[in-house]
Amino acid sequence: MKNGKYEKEEFKKEVEDNVRRLYRKTLKEASEQELFQAISFTVKDVIMDQWIATQKEIDNQDPKIVYYMSMEFLMGRALGNNLINLTSYKEVKEALEEMGINLDAIEDQEPDPALGNGGLGRLAACFMESLATLGYPAYGCGIRYRYGMFQQKIENGYQIEVPDNWLKNEYPFELKRPEYTYEVKFGGYVRAQDGENGRTKFVQENYQSVKAISYDMPIVGYNNNVVNTLMIWDAEPMESFQLDSFNKGDYRKAVEQQNLARNLVEVLYPNDNHIAGKELRLRQQYFFVSASLQRAIERFKKHHSDIHQLPEKVTIQMNDTHPTVAVAELMRILLDEEGLEWDEAWDITTKTCAYTNHTIMAEALEKWPIEIFSRLLPRIYQIVEEINRRFVLDIQKKFPGDNDRIRKMAIIYDGQVKMAHLAICAGYSVNGVARLHTEILKNQELKDFYEMFPEKFNNKTNGITQRRFLMHGDPLLAEWVTKYVGKDWITDLSRISKLKIYADDEKAQQEFLNIKYQNKVRLADYIQKHNGIEVDPRSLFDVQVKRLHEYKRQLLNILHVMYLYNELKENPNLDVVPRTYIFGAKAAAGYRNAKLTIKLINAVADVINNDKSINGKLKVVFIEDYRVSNAEIIFAAADVSEQISTASKEASGTGNMKFMLNGALTIGTMDGANVEMAEEVGEDNMFIFGMSSDEVIAHEQNRDYDPMQIFNTDQDVRTVLMQLINGFYSPDDPELFRDLYNSLLNTESTQYADTYFILADFRSYVEAQKRINQDYKDEKNWARKAILNIAASGKFSSDRTIQEYVDDIWKLEKITVEL
């Protein structure tokens, strides 16, 4: 599939044969979905040879392997990315054109695998791709969700959640592996009995269990024959149907096992506002962790007889707190199945498990009620209790008499099991994901742990894969970059810095602006098709796309749009460059204020987009069902990237890096990786605003911030906020946005007002937006700044991040795969 006419003809024939074999049709009769399947199977055949060769090489070389455990893997579509990494994209595109088939249209037939939601899952996907490209052996471990989190529909401005049925046509890039089937047990009780050599043996009885079955997905490295594996677990009942119970009239029991299995893998992040949802989340976490560890240890034992060597050959990276039950499950396997003593098992576990912290938000550091944890996972709970007992003794030894420390550090306290504490206690490495985030962890959120284990803490600033987010998502810009700096950036993004010398080159500037314009036309077409709104590609595209959460401050953005609209209505001749504000975000199903913010954005859009008096100077668009595939065309088209989280709240962010790589200018706070981006490109090539993280933290500690003062003294702010409750954007229901108004001023609550300092940063944000307005008028200077941003993005490749994990934490060796 690389060069030459014969191979091209062979590829065409294979596609034709696959259409005939799979669907009993000719090419002309096949639908685009059928063509997608046939082409994917043809590509998968090529991948298979490399996948088999990679596994053989791993077996021969017996290297250390990282098992990357994550609740989410937001992979994006596979066909185009696989073709790029096989270095066959252009050849396949040409071959298909000769067959009268448009590859872009075929790629649009592929659903985004619904295995993740936000930055956590996309980071895991970038990491898997970088591991394969750098040639390090790795398994991703997750769940094969049947319906993902949800597919977002916008109806009457409201988010509606519908199942994301990505598997309805079956997915060609997965492989069912029934040979990797494991039992995972829930509930029951633990009985202690006498075992060999006078040891007590613990046996779980009267439990429910499911079968975990692996589906493997290939992760193709760039141009190196390496194909790693993402193993995602599906659940099936231990017995397919209990006919005996059915015949006796106990219909509920007959389907109980089927329901248990089905519920486990139905959706990502079930709503946990109730006990059943909490239980399901914990079951999901234990399910995939247990299955992954069973497979990892089975693989290890195939090649090694001494389980004490496990840390030399296996490392487990826990991506946030969701998989941290891995610590106790590994202990269970070593104690109960391998027959080790506690100290031996603990020594192995603490040399094998490592933990990445992804958030400063307390609500995301998982805590489980003891009642649920001990009932669902009785043996695991016993082990966690013993880990906690010993850990508390260690704390007392190191800090005698400091009972407050025990309260803050214990794994089990106040009726809760604290998963982050378990991860830090047992992990040999604890890393944050941007320098600022890691410092906040060390000095504040996890200060007590840092004082006890300073050697464990380290920083690994996140990154993104340039192969998906530039090469595939923005092919015009990718070709332009290659023209100026050569191809090396594809596997070494630091080489993109050579672009810097062209920032003042008028020809390069004009070429960049032309490419940006073409990308904006592509996005405008998408918006016209999906939203029915006509936007002007010559307008400034100001974009905020990310998970919807109050700390990410989509509300600040739309309040500014409301302010700007008010200014325009007062002064129609106001000197503003035409702007298109583009939003895309999913809100968690149970998150009321986030969902109300989506309704507000759409309500504002309805008013502004239908007001002819402003002559099209403002447009507002909410892109439905934001996901990797539409993200790629959004990043490529953006002029301005909104990275406006409250300083100290965003651990890193990776969308900021994708926009930067695609030549958008950032408006942002000094938060997360924005700080390091500013260091790389210079603050004068970004639009920095707002309080610093130190100022925010000081206000939080002193509780001295009063948003009502701003409301009372700033007429513009007051006008905008009153529009939330006077029916300006909701004439049929003036009270519709009352909860958003209250969240900023808390006139009816004792709760802390404006938790995320939206009003405190509002004026600074307005000023930064005015600077954008001025700068955008000078297109040469704008192009110069954009090119400097691209040139400074080299640090933010996930290849660099992964190499740091390898050097500092995992200590892996590269494999070389020859075909």
Side-chain angles (χ1 to χ4, degrees):
M1 252 171 61
K2 295 233 168 141
N3 303 300
K5 193 159 185 201
Y6 171 72
E7 286 181 343
K8 191 190 275 189
E9 295 308 315
E10 192 181 3
F11 172 77
K12 290 175 174 175
K13 185 176 181 310
E14 279 182 32
V15 171
E16 216 164 319
D17 288 349
N18 277 338
V19 169
R20 192 180 70 252
R21 252 197 311 269
L22 291 166
Y23 304 109
R24 205 201 64 187
K25 288 183 178 179
T26 64
L27 273 182
K28 283 196 172 141
E29 294 167 330
S31 68
E32 284 189 333
Q33 173 61 219
E34 288 164 345
L35 288 171
F36 159 69
Q37 295 278 348
I39 292 162
S40 296
F41 277 111
T42 307
V43 173
K44 190 174 168 188
D45 272 351
V46 177
I47 293 170
M48 278 297 184
D49 293 338
Q50 297 187 4
W51 209 358
I52 290 166
T54 301
Q55 285 306 310
K56 273 194 181 149
E57 190 52 45
I58 291 173
D59 285 346
N60 292 340
Q61 201 176 312
D62 188 27
K64 190 177 189 181
I65 297 172
V66 62
Y67 290 83
Y68 195 84
M69 295 200 176
S70 181
M71 200 74 185
E72 299 184 38
F73 287 91
L74 195 58
M75 301 307 296
R77 293 169 174 168
L79 176 59
N81 219 64
N82 286 342
L83 288 172
I84 278 175
N85 283 9
L86 292 167
T87 64
S88 302
Y89 193 91
K90 280 184 178 161
E91 291 83 349
V92 166
K93 196 176 172 78
E94 271 172 36
L96 292 175
E97 272 165 15
E98 289 169 20
M99 299 165 80
I101 298 168
N102 178 329
L103 180 55
D104 290 340
I106 296 305
E107 284 192 63
D108 281 341
Q109 288 297 310
E110 180 175 358
D112 283 52
L115 304 173
N117 170 45
L120 182 83
R122 185 52 236 172
L123 183 82
C126 285
F127 278 8
M128 290 304 297
E129 197 267 6
S130 283
L131 278 158
T133 293
L134 293 171
Y136 293 114
Y139 285 90
C141 312
I143 295 178
R144 183 179 181 259
Y145 303 103
R146 305 255 169 92
Y147 301 110
M149 192 161 90
F150 55 80
Q151 186 180 354
Q152 183 191 54
K153 300 274 187 204
I154 300 296
E155 291 179 13
N156 190 28
Y158 289 98
Q159 169 178 293
I160 306 294
E161 300 95 21
V162 299
D164 189 349
N165 194 5
W166 68 286
L167 289 166
K168 71 175 177 204
N169 295 309
E170 300 192 343
Y171 191 63
F173 290 107
E174 65 173 11
L175 192 64
K176 187 174 182 179
R177 305 294 300 275
E179 66 270 37
Y180 297 117
T181 298
Y182 304 97
E183 184 179 12
V184 179
K185 300 173 182 176
F186 300 101
Y189 57 87
V190 178
R191 185 168 56 80
Q193 64 184 43
D194 292 335
E196 294 170 18
N197 306 326
R199 286 191 61 196
T200 305
K201 190 171 167 56
F202 295 92
V203 184
Q204 196 170 340
E205 293 183 342
N206 203 25
Y207 53 82
Q208 290 181 307
S209 63
V210 296
K211 269 194 298 199
I213 297 179
S214 184
Y215 281 73
D216 289 359
M217 279 190 191
I219 308 294
V220 181
Y222 182 80
N223 198 24
N224 66 351
N225 302 326
V226 173
V227 179
N228 279 332
T229 301
L230 172 63
M231 52 181 178
I232 47 174
W233 296 96
D234 200 1
E236 290 184 9
M238 291 303 291
E239 299 164 40
S240 54
F241 189 71
Q242 294 184 326
L243 191 62
D244 181 47
S245 299
F246 191 85
N247 289 338
K248 286 177 183 165
D250 190 349
Y251 307 124
R252 190 183 62 79
K253 191 164 185 219
V255 294
E256 195 174 67
Q257 280 207 354
Q258 280 178 306
N259 288 342
L260 174 66
R262 196 174 65 230
N263 290 343
L264 265 177
V265 293
E266 208 94 289
V267 295
L268 166 67
Y269 299 142
N271 192 341
D272 64 350
N273 293 352
H274 44 72
I275 293 290
K278 280 189 172 64
E279 280 191 19
L280 184 50
R281 282 200 186 195
L282 182 57
R283 279 183 196 270
Q284 285 183 325
Q285 292 175 13
Y286 182 67
F287 165 73
F288 93 86
V289 161
S290 177
S292 302
L293 283 174
Q294 288 183 66
R295 182 168 170 185
I297 285 174
E298 183 183 286
R299 188 179 200 298
F300 170 82
K301 287 172 76 174
K302 226 191 250 181
H303 301 274
H304 305 92
S305 55
D306 184 1
I307 195 74
H308 294 86
Q309 291 177 328
L310 188 73
E312 294 164 36
K313 295 296 176 184
V314 170
T315 192
I316 293 157
Q317 189 68 34
M318 302 178 291
N319 192 30
D320 218 1
T321 51
H322 313 119
T324 52
V325 72
V327 170
E329 174 64 1
L330 181 55
M331 285 294 288
R332 182 195 68 76
I333 293 169
L334 295 172
L335 294 167
D336 298 355
E337 293 177 20
E338 299 300 321
L340 298 190
E341 295 291 343
W342 182 276
D343 288 344
E344 294 175 285
W346 185 245
D347 184 58
I348 292 168
T349 299
T350 54
K351 287 177 179 166
T352 304
C353 296
Y355 165 57
T356 300
N357 175 285
H358 276 278
T359 182
I360 298 154
M361 307 295 290
E363 81 234 26
L365 296 173
E366 287 184 307
K367 304 170 188 74
W368 296 107
I370 285 175
E371 187 278 319
I372 292 177
F373 198 99
S374 58
R375 176 165 48 79
L376 280 185
L377 308 174
R379 179 61 181 138
I380 294 298
Y381 181 69
Q382 285 183 340
I383 290 167
V384 173
E385 264 197 325
E386 181 59 16
I387 293 171
N388 180 62
R389 185 186 72 78
R390 291 168 181 244
F391 183 45
V392 168
L393 291 175
D394 288 346
I395 298 168
Q396 286 171 333
K397 195 172 167 187
K398 185 144 189 175
F399 305 101
D402 193 343
N403 288 331
D404 197 43
R405 252 180 221 271
I406 293 168
R407 177 183 65 77
K408 289 191 283 188
M409 294 177 73
I411 297 161
I412 301 174
Y413 204 88
D414 271 352
Q416 292 181 315
V417 183
K418 300 179 178 185
M419 302 309 281
H421 296 192
L422 176 64
I424 300 164
C425 165
Y428 68 88
S429 163
V430 176
N431 74 281
V433 290
R435 195 176 65 237
L436 174 67
H437 166 234
T438 302
E439 290 307 308
I440 291 171
L441 292 180
K442 283 164 32 176
N443 299 327
Q444 268 193 270
E445 299 305 310
L446 302 175
K447 185 171 184 245
D448 295 295
F449 288 94
Y450 178 61
E451 286 173 357
M452 186 155 177
F453 306 118
E455 71 288 349
K456 290 187 181 190
F457 282 74
N458 60 93
N459 176 59
K460 300 286 169 279
T461 298
N462 284 343
I464 59 170
T465 167
Q466 63 270 27
R467 292 164 291 278
R468 179 177 288 277
F469 291 106
L470 184 51
M471 222 175 158
H472 185 260
D474 198 345
L476 298 175
L477 189 62
E479 276 178 38
W480 178 80
V481 169
T482 299
K483 181 175 94 171
Y484 282 103
V485 306
K487 281 186 170 178
D488 289 351
W489 66 269
I490 297 169
T491 51
D492 179 2
L493 194 59
S494 68
R495 301 294 183 93
I496 209 164
S497 63
K498 294 180 191 167
L499 263 184
K500 194 172 179 179
I501 58 172
Y502 300 101
D504 292 300
D505 183 308
E506 288 194 18
K507 179 170 167 280
Q509 289 173 355
Q510 203 49 57
E511 288 167 350
F512 168 78
L513 291 168
N514 289 342
I515 289 166
K516 183 62 78 175
Y517 178 73
Q518 289 177 68
N519 287 330
K520 288 165 79 170
V521 168
R522 177 174 68 157
L523 180 56
D525 290 344
Y526 179 94
I527 290 168
Q528 178 72 61
K529 182 179 170 186
H530 291 86
N531 291 65
I533 298 169
E534 194 177 319
V535 301
D536 180 3
R538 287 177 190 79
S539 67
L540 184 156
F541 279 17
D542 183 316
V543 186
Q544 187 175 19
V545 286
K546 53 181 74 236
R547 184 168 62 87
L548 212 144
H549 192 291
E550 284 164 289
Y551 85 80
K552 294 177 185 283
R553 301 203 294 191
Q554 284 92 347
L555 185 55
L556 172 60
N557 189 344
I558 197 64
L559 290 176
H560 172 257
V561 175
M562 291 159 64
Y563 158 81
L564 200 54
Y565 178 57
N566 291 341
E567 293 279 284
L568 262 178
K569 292 298 281 181
E570 248 179 67
N571 178 7
N573 299 318
L574 192 69
D575 182 21
V576 294
V577 294
R579 283 232 198 174
T580 302
Y581 287 92
I582 297 167
F583 294 83
K586 285 183 176 178
Y591 193 169
R592 183 173 160 72
N593 271 8
K595 293 175 82 168
L596 201 54
T597 303
I598 290 175
K599 172 61 177 170
L600 176 63
I601 292 165
N602 285 305
V604 172
D606 281 347
V607 171
I608 290 177
N609 298 345
N610 292 303
D611 185 343
K612 298 211 168 21
S613 76
I614 58 170
N615 297 320
K617 281 186 177 176
L618 288 186
K619 285 277 173 79
V620 180
V621 176
F622 188 94
I623 291 179
E624 184 179 79
D625 204 35
Y626 176 59
R627 57 198 184 278
V628 178
S629 54
N630 58 20
E632 290 179 33
I633 65 171
I634 294 167
F635 295 134
D639 293 307
V640 169
S641 158
E642 297 268 355
Q643 307 300 331
I644 58 176
S645 55
T646 312
S648 82
K649 302 301 177 200
E650 185 71 86
S652 168
T654 48
N656 45 6
M657 303 167 186
K658 293 159 197 165
F659 281 111
M660 183 189 202
L661 181 62
N662 282 270
L665 271 56
T666 302
I667 177 169
T669 50
M670 284 301 243
D671 197 22
N674 291 358
V675 176
E676 289 161 78
M677 284 166 54
E679 282 172 12
E680 296 295 307
V681 74
E683 285 187 36
D684 49 344
N685 295 307
M686 292 170 74
F687 301 94
I688 302 296
F689 76 95
M691 290 191 289
S692 69
S693 57
D694 287 344
E695 288 171 311
V696 168
I697 290 164
H699 279 308
E700 287 174 335
Q701 288 173 344
N702 300 331
R703 298 183 74 84
D704 60 358
Y705 166 56
D706 180 13
M708 206 64 188
Q709 205 177 340
I710 297 168
F711 179 82
N712 289 333
T713 55
D714 189 324
Q715 175 64 50
D716 295 329
V717 167
R718 194 158 60 249
T719 303
V720 167
L721 291 199
M722 290 309 292
Q723 285 173 336
L724 291 175
I725 54 168
N726 65 12
F728 189 88
Y729 291 104
S730 55
D732 296 338
D733 181 4
E735 288 291 302
L736 181 59
F737 301 115
R738 171 70 67 177
D739 284 355
L740 294 179
Y741 176 87
N742 287 346
S743 75
L744 296 170
L745 298 173
N746 274 329
T747 52
E748 297 172 12
S749 158
T750 53
Q751 194 190 337
Y752 196 34
D754 192 12
T755 314
Y756 298 109
F757 300 94
I758 287 171
L759 301 189
D761 278 349
F762 185 80
R763 273 292 154 201
S764 178
Y765 183 58
V766 168
E767 291 310 309
Q769 289 284 6
K770 284 178 179 167
R771 295 201 301 277
I772 288 172
N773 189 63
Q774 279 308 112
D775 281 14
Y776 194 70
K777 291 176 193 169
D778 180 352
E779 66 169 24
K780 283 184 185 174
N781 190 40
W782 188 271
R784 177 182 166 276
K785 288 185 172 190
I787 293 168
L788 287 172
N789 267 272
I790 300 168
S793 63
K795 174 180 178 176
F796 303 107
S797 169
S798 48
D799 299 345
R800 186 266 316 151
T801 314
I802 285 297
Q803 192 58 54
E804 289 180 5
Y805 273 94
V806 167
D807 293 343
D808 302 342
I809 303 174
W810 301 333
K811 313 292 185 191
L812 306 179
E813 295 163 30
K814 291 192 181 203
I815 53 168
T816 307
V817 179
E818 304 290 346
L819 286 182

